[in-house]
Every structure is written in C-alpha cells, then in structure tokens.
Amino acid sequence: MFGLIGHLTSLEHAQSVARELGYPEYADQGLDFWCSAPPQIVDTIKVTSATGQQIEGRYVESCFLPEMLATRRIKAATRKIINAMAHAQKNGINITALGGFSSIIFENFNLNQIQQVRNIKLEFDRFTTGNTHTAYIICRQVEQASQQVGINLSKATVAVCGATGDIGSAVCRWLNSRADVADLLLVARNPDRLQLLQEELGRGKILPLEEALPQADIVVWVASMPKGVEIDYQKLKQPCLMIDGGYPKNMAKQIQQPGVHILNGGIVEHSLDIDWKIMSIVNMDVPARQLFACFAESMLLEFEKLYTNFSWGRNQITLEKMDLIGQVSVKHGFRPLLTVGS
Ligand code: NDP
C-alpha cells in the first residue's frame, strides 16, 4: 500500500475545506486549533496503471499549514510532519510521499534525528520526498510547453527561482546536460549555495529575482515560499513561459497578460481516472486525473514494489534516477500536464 502526506495551502483554505466537508465547528477555528489537530487518514485511493495493475493507497492529512512557519510556530510544524509519518507507518503503509512542505520541514529541521514517536520507531526507508519525479516532470514541461508556446529552447534564457533547492538543483542539472538551453539564471537567497551550484554546473548567472525576470524566456518557480510573491508582469518578456512548481504557488496571482503563459508545474495527468476525493479538495482542474508528481512517485514505487526512499536528503537527485522514474512514469500511464494558461 502507498501513502501520501499532504497539507492545505493556508488557514483560509483549511477553513473552507472544513466547511465544505461538513465540519462547521472546525471551519471557525484559528491557527492554534490546527496546531493541535492530530493527523488523519481522510481518503482511500485506488489507482489502475496503464498496464492494468491495481494498487491501493491512503491520504494522510498532516494538518500542517504554511502560516505555522510564517508565524514561527516551528515546534507545531515539525510535530505535524513527524506525527503524520508515524500515523502512516502505524497504518501499515509501505511507501509514503512527503508532499509540499512536509519534506522541506523534514530537511530544514533535521527531523531524521527524531526516530522514536511514542511507541513507533520511524523507518525512514518507508518514505520518499517525491522530488525526483517532480524534477523530472518539470524538466519535461520545460521541454514540451516551450515548443507549444513558440519558444525555441536552444535560444532561450531559463531562470530557475529556487535553483539551490532539492528540485531546483536537479532541474538545473538536467537543463545543463540534457536540454540545449542558451542561458541559465540561478535565483535564490543564500549566496554560498548559489556559488557552489554554479561551480558544479560550470555555468549559470547568479542574479536577484528582479534582474532575472525581465531577461528570462522561461521561469521555473521552485522556491519554498509559504506565500507567493507579487510580480510586475509588464516587465516580463513576451512570450514568456512561467512554470510554477511551488506548493503553495510561488506566484501570488495568475494574471491575464498577453504573451505570458502560465503552467502548473510538477503536475501529472494519469491516463485513467483515479478513485479518490483529495484532488478536488486541493482544487486541481481535473481532480480524477491530475495530481502532484511527488504523490505519483509513491504510486510508481508501489507499482514497481520499490520499497525504498527513492528521493531522500537534499541535492542528491541524479540524472540517472530522473531517467529511471521517468521511464516507470510513462510505463504506468502518467504524463506531464501541458495545459498552458495565458
Ligand atoms: P527546498 O527547500 O529544497 O528549496 C527551496 C529553494 O528555494 C532554495 O533554493 C531556497 O534557497 C529558495 N528560496 C526559498 N525562499 C526563497 C525566496 N523568498 N526567494 C528566492 N528563493 C527562495 O525545496 P524543494 O526543492 O523541496 O521544493 C520546492 C517547491 O516545490 C516547494 O514550494 C514545494 O512545496 C514544491 N513541491 C512541489 C511538488 C509537486 O509535486 N508539484 C513536490 C515537492 C515539492 P534560499 O533559501 O537560499 O533562498
């Protein structure tokens, strides 16, 4: 059995979901309530592969909200993730993806040092961040969506916002050696990590966001921002392809601007309907078919009986692993989302 640990994007989102699901008493509660809420299994999932194989999974709602980080409720945030992992393991799930901020919190706060959660000894090889599949899907989206909107990749400048992150660095590695891109702009805050990445790649210009955006034909957003940033769309190139892989979204608004094409990044479409409720709760456009690539990674590992933490740690995603997960992704009927809005 596979599992997915997820969370909602904001307190407002959590309150509206509670109302929608018929829990009005939860809908009126503030952040403190969510800080003390325990993890819950809220969905049972059945997935059929393009090969005909069927698997079953569980969705674990961690009750983490990004506002916990923004308001420095770090203890609550870390407890949410560790408790959700223990809950998944206690329920016999073999391989569970740590969706959205779950893996970021796990890494940033060194949660691998906490192994004992009450009577459960966490077995980390039952978990995966899902970042290898996410990075692979974003790279395929760069390659395929650029063609769709008439951007020639070999002449394009690609800015990666969150370049030094786990997903961002893998995307940079891929663009550097698998795709023929004209220029690579590296955006993040920590200068030392940017320097190290530039040395590893042997190329790339380090630029602040406001300087990178007007130069970019394609922007890949994979920064771990608890809240999106406001962008002056007037200053962007036309055409410009913006691939937003963040959860919550890195861009504050989806603006209607001619020539600016926006694509939901790190999202896959399955070739068959999936029997679940959770993707409508997170407002996916086609909830029966579309899902986060990290969640799909745990499904792929279950299909392949690869019970291992395929994606783990920081900045260790190799091109070989991206190829491997990419092959099984295609085999089981997943493809990158390519519906571009503008
Ligand atoms: P990491 O924490 O590993 O990396 C985040 C990157 O963003 C770092 O380079 C960090 O560098 C940079 N960053 C953070 N804040 C800012 C900022 N304000 N301005 C510029 N750069 C910033 O995160 P991951 O790679 O694991 O995840 C990235 C995003 O992808 C997250 O939003 C996550 O929720 C989402 N995600 C989506 C998935 C999907 O299936 N679609 C799956 C998994 C994750 P620095 O701190 O130096 O600025």
Side-chain angles (χ1 to χ4, degrees):
M1 185 162 59
F2 69 92
L4 315 169
I5 291 178
H7 61 83
L8 298 170
T9 55
S10 66
L11 177 60
E12 200 187 337
H13 186 199
Q15 289 168 333
S16 79
V17 166
R19 196 164 289 118
E20 219 173 285
L21 295 182
Y23 298 96
E25 64 282 16
Y26 285 34
D28 297 328
Q29 301 285 350
L31 194 55
D32 286 339
F33 168 84
W34 292 92
C35 285
S36 57
Q40 311 248 2
I41 289 181
V42 295
D43 209 359
T44 297
I45 308 162
K46 285 200 183 77
V47 193
T48 306
S49 157
T51 65
Q53 190 186 343
Q54 286 193 326
I55 53 170
E56 199 178 299
R58 300 282 182 272
Y59 177 83
V60 183
E61 172 55 54
S62 68
C63 293
F64 163 79
L65 293 173
E67 283 91 343
M68 291 174 194
L69 291 182
T71 58
R72 309 289 308 153
R73 285 165 159 98
I74 305 300
K75 258 209 162 131
T78 54
R79 220 176 37 232
K80 298 277 135 194
I81 306 311
I82 282 294
N83 285 345
M85 291 170 76
H87 197 60
Q89 190 173 314
K90 197 172 77 186
N91 281 276
I93 301 174
N94 300 310
I95 186 75
T96 301
L98 302 180
F101 263 85
S102 317
S103 64
I104 295 168
I105 292 168
F106 189 90
E107 286 300 328
N108 283 359
F109 300 105
N110 296 319
L111 300 190
N112 57 356
Q113 290 172 3
I114 305 175
Q115 263 199 302
Q116 197 69 35
V117 186
R118 293 175 296 278
N119 60 343
I120 305 272
K121 188 166 189 286
L122 285 179
E123 294 160 18
F124 293 134
D125 57 0
R126 286 168 172 253
F127 299 90
T128 184
T129 65
N131 286 349
T132 311
H133 191 227
T134 305
Y136 164 81
I137 289 297
I138 290 176
C139 292
R140 303 298 292 158
Q141 288 180 307
V142 170
E143 291 169 350
Q144 296 172 20
S146 57
Q147 274 189 9
Q148 245 176 242
V149 302
I151 294 174
N152 180 347
L153 205 50
S154 64
K155 292 189 180 148
T157 295
V158 183
V160 181
C161 179
T164 53
D166 198 35
I167 299 171
S169 61
V171 169
C172 288
R173 258 171 239 132
W174 178 288
L175 294 179
N176 189 33
S177 55
R178 290 286 164 86
D180 175 25
V181 300
D183 222 343
L184 205 48
L185 309 181
L186 313 175
V187 182
R189 294 164 305 178
N190 183 302
D192 296 339
R193 285 203 289 264
L194 281 164
Q195 190 85 40
L196 280 175
L197 177 68
Q198 192 185 43
E199 279 164 22
E200 180 202 322
L201 298 171
R203 70 182 288 199
K205 290 190 195 118
I206 297 171
L207 286 180
L209 182 62
E210 54 288 0
E211 282 181 44
L213 287 183
Q215 296 184 32
D217 301 289
I218 300 170
V219 187
V220 176
W221 291 91
V222 277
S224 46
M225 296 173 178
K227 214 166 165 255
V229 285
E230 296 285 342
I231 295 160
D232 184 354
Y233 287 83
Q234 311 280 351
K235 292 194 176 147
L236 299 177
K237 274 189 167 178
Q238 290 180 9
C240 177
L241 173 64
M242 310 275 258
I243 301 181
D244 192 350
Y247 183 82
K249 291 279 154 238
N250 284 177
M251 290 185 286
K253 281 188 241 152
Q254 302 252 329
I255 285 241
Q256 302 275 318
Q257 174 81 14
V260 178
H261 306 280
I262 299 174
L263 179 61
N264 273 344
I267 305 291
V268 286
E269 280 185 321
H270 193 41
S271 49
L272 298 164
D273 281 0
I274 299 175
D275 183 8
W276 60 358
K277 295 188 289 290
I278 194 64
M279 286 300 128
S280 42
I281 290 174
V282 295
N283 304 324
M284 207 57 88
D285 289 340
V286 185
R289 297 266 172 131
Q290 296 175 355
L291 62 148
F292 299 102
C294 62
F295 286 177
E297 182 171 305
S298 70
M299 296 174 184
L300 293 170
L301 298 178
E302 173 73 22
F303 277 131
E304 294 292 311
K305 299 278 175 279
L306 270 173
Y307 294 135
T308 166
N309 43 3
F310 190 82
S311 309
W312 206 239
R314 269 260 166 82
N315 297 16
Q316 288 171 21
I317 298 175
T318 60
L319 297 180
E320 292 71 29
K321 280 192 134 179
M322 287 168 79
D323 284 337
L324 174 60
I325 205 77
Q327 279 161 21
V328 292
S329 182
V330 173
K331 170 180 164 189
H332 291 289
F334 293 96
R335 57 169 180 252
L337 177 76
L338 289 174
T339 316
V340 175
S342 56

